Amino acid sequence: MGGLIVLILLGLLFIFVVTILAKTVRIVPQARAGIVERFGKYKQTLPAGLNIVIPFIDKVRYLIDLREQVVSFPPSSVITEDNLTVEIDTVIYFQVIDPVAATYEIANYIQAVEQITMTTLRNIVGGMDLEQTLTSRETINSGLRGVLDEATGKWGIRVGRVEIKSIDPPPSIKDTMEKQMRADRDKRAAILTAEGQRQSAILTAQGQKESAILSAQGDRESQILRAQADREAAILRAQGEGQAIQTVFQAIHDGRPDQSLLAYQYLQMMPKIAEGDANKVWIVPSEIGKALEGLGSTMTNLQGIPKEVDGPAKRIDMGDTEPLVESTTTADTEVSKANAAVEAAIAEAASAANPRSAASTAPVAPTPSEAGDPEPPAAPPVS
């Protein structure tokens, strides 16, 4: 019986010792601070780690978190300067730097921070209109941080940042703002479209201008070249006609025409006279021979056309008949052929008109071998 009592006493002693040790040894976690009170009065602040206090005398009243804390406050209604109500949602980043002040200077520092945030926010936003409120988040954040940092300094709290999560205007204002933004976007789109069309028109006009200038320059150069070609062609035609006239004139004088040749030419011209549309009837008189003899007799007095020609042919010097523009070998050959053909035609006409005098007076045309030119083709009588 006595042993049982001893065991009970030893158990009670062990429990008392454990309780004393539990009250004496206090372990504070990292980034925490323990506020110790002795008989209800602040005694000391326990740092993180193992700490010894007097049991039943010292008591750890509060355990303060020294880490930076984030508190999101519910949206608060704020009236702007233009009497519009907006809902503003804020976030506060703060840290306890003095555990004693945070414990004894204020009862609930989180609630105090929330209330001062709301009042300061209403004060700042109340001086702004809706548009400034929506576009001045940084200004509102800076104002809130300055006021909160000054007010909470004596509470042992340092406000690190103040952020506005959202600013919600009334639904009617939202709808109006959306319409305004849509109209503004449509306006900018119309301006950009007009600017693009303007640039396109300018570039198109510049391209057309350059194209017109190049076309005009091309037409000018083309007209100049065409005019030069026409001028050279006209010069060549004039030179060719002059040379042909000189050749015919020289051939006529070399053939020494007489009255019989003129009568033959008259006979050749009669059908052409009858070709007119106004000539319905053409009568050939029986006295055509006498008319020709009379024609020849009437022209005996024409200067330079004798009735009968005797003696050798005398060539009239017509001067230089070479073309002004240098001719090729082919052109010279064609001219020689033409001269030979003209002379042969004149000789044939003269012999046909006066066979007796043509045999003794007509000049002998050089053979192709003597003239050095190929034999000319047979040509019709020259009219």
Side-chain angles (χ1 to χ4, degrees):
M1 186 67 181
L4 181 59
I5 295 173
V6 170
L7 290 175
I8 293 173
L9 292 175
L10 291 175
L12 294 174
L13 181 61
F14 178 77
I15 294 172
F16 179 75
V17 170
V18 170
T19 304
I20 294 299
L21 292 175
K23 294 289 185 180
T24 303
V25 178
R26 302 302 301 267
I27 298 176
V28 179
Q30 181 66 34
R32 302 289 196 280
I35 303 300
V36 179
E37 293 180 354
R38 177 175 292 179
F39 300 116
K41 183 180 179 180
Y42 171 74
K43 175 65 173 62
Q44 64 178 352
T45 302
L46 299 180
L50 181 64
N51 296 278
I52 303 300
V53 296
I54 300 175
F56 304 107
I57 296 176
D58 296 336
K59 182 179 180 181
V60 178
R61 177 70 64 179
Y62 303 103
L63 193 62
I64 306 300
D65 193 346
L66 301 180
R67 295 173 297 179
E68 187 172 7
Q69 302 180 42
V70 180
V71 179
S72 177
F73 300 132
S76 58
S77 299
V78 181
I79 300 176
T80 60
E81 187 179 11
D82 48 356
N83 297 324
L84 293 175
T85 303
V86 294
E87 298 289 335
I88 301 180
D89 191 2
T90 57
V91 178
I92 304 298
Y93 298 82
F94 69 94
Q95 183 179 9
V96 177
I97 57 177
D98 187 356
V100 178
T103 303
Y104 297 106
E105 294 294 333
I106 190 168
N108 189 341
Y109 56 82
I110 294 179
Q111 184 180 3
V113 170
E114 179 182 0
Q115 294 300 321
I116 198 172
T117 299
M118 293 176 60
T119 55
T120 305
L121 189 61
R122 289 173 180 173
N123 187 21
I124 295 174
V125 175
M128 299 181 179
D129 56 15
L130 179 61
E131 185 174 358
Q132 291 178 345
T133 302
L134 296 175
T135 58
S136 302
R137 290 174 177 260
E138 188 64 29
T139 303
I140 298 174
N141 293 338
S142 300
L144 280 174
R145 179 181 177 183
V147 174
L148 289 174
D149 198 13
E150 180 181 359
T152 59
K154 62 180 180 179
W155 300 337
I157 299 173
R158 181 179 61 84
V159 178
R161 298 182 63 182
V162 179
E163 297 292 342
I164 296 178
K165 291 197 301 183
S166 62
I167 300 177
D168 297 328
S172 59
I173 301 299
K174 283 184 178 181
D175 185 54
T176 303
M177 291 174 60
E178 289 178 358
K179 292 180 180 179
Q180 182 180 0
M181 292 173 62
R182 190 179 303 110
D184 187 52
R185 290 191 183 96
D186 294 340
K187 175 185 175 182
R188 288 199 297 266
I191 292 174
L192 292 177
T193 303
E195 185 68 21
Q197 294 176 353
R198 173 176 172 271
Q199 293 293 335
S200 176
I202 291 174
L203 294 177
T204 302
Q206 290 179 351
Q208 293 177 352
K209 174 184 175 183
E210 295 177 359
S211 176
I213 292 173
L214 293 177
S215 298
Q217 291 178 352
D219 294 340
R220 172 177 172 272
E221 294 177 359
S222 176
Q223 292 177 1
I224 291 174
L225 294 177
R226 192 178 298 110
Q228 292 177 351
D230 294 341
R231 182 187 67 179
E232 295 177 0
I235 292 173
L236 292 176
R237 281 194 297 270
Q239 292 176 352
E241 292 176 358
Q243 185 177 1
I245 293 172
Q246 290 179 359
T247 302
V248 173
F249 187 78
Q250 186 66 55
I252 292 173
H253 283 77
D254 289 344
R256 303 180 69 186
D258 55 4
Q259 298 296 330
S260 300
L261 179 60
L262 293 178
Y264 178 73
Q265 293 292 328
Y266 173 73
L267 290 175
Q268 286 186 335
M269 290 298 297
M270 289 180 64
K272 292 186 178 180
I273 295 174
E275 288 179 357
D277 296 336
N279 298 328
K280 304 299 183 182
V281 180
W282 179 257
I283 301 174
V284 179
S286 60
E287 293 83 4
I288 188 62
K290 294 179 180 181
L292 291 176
E293 292 178 359
L295 179 62
S297 62
T298 56
M299 292 186 177
T300 53
N301 295 329
L302 293 177
Q303 186 178 0
I305 306 178
K307 186 175 181 180
E308 293 182 357
V309 180
D310 296 329
K314 182 180 179 181
R315 185 177 180 84
I316 299 175
D317 188 9
M318 297 300 295
D320 188 11
T321 60
E322 294 295 329
L324 298 178
V325 181
E326 183 178 359
S327 303
T328 61
T329 305
T330 305
D332 294 338
T333 304
E334 294 296 333
V335 171
S336 300
K337 292 180 180 181
N339 292 337
V342 171
E343 292 178 0
I346 293 174
E348 183 181 355
S351 62
N354 194 358
R356 293 177 297 177
S357 62
S360 59
T361 60
V364 180
T367 61
S369 59
E370 293 175 352
D373 296 332
E375 183 177 358
V382 179
S383 57

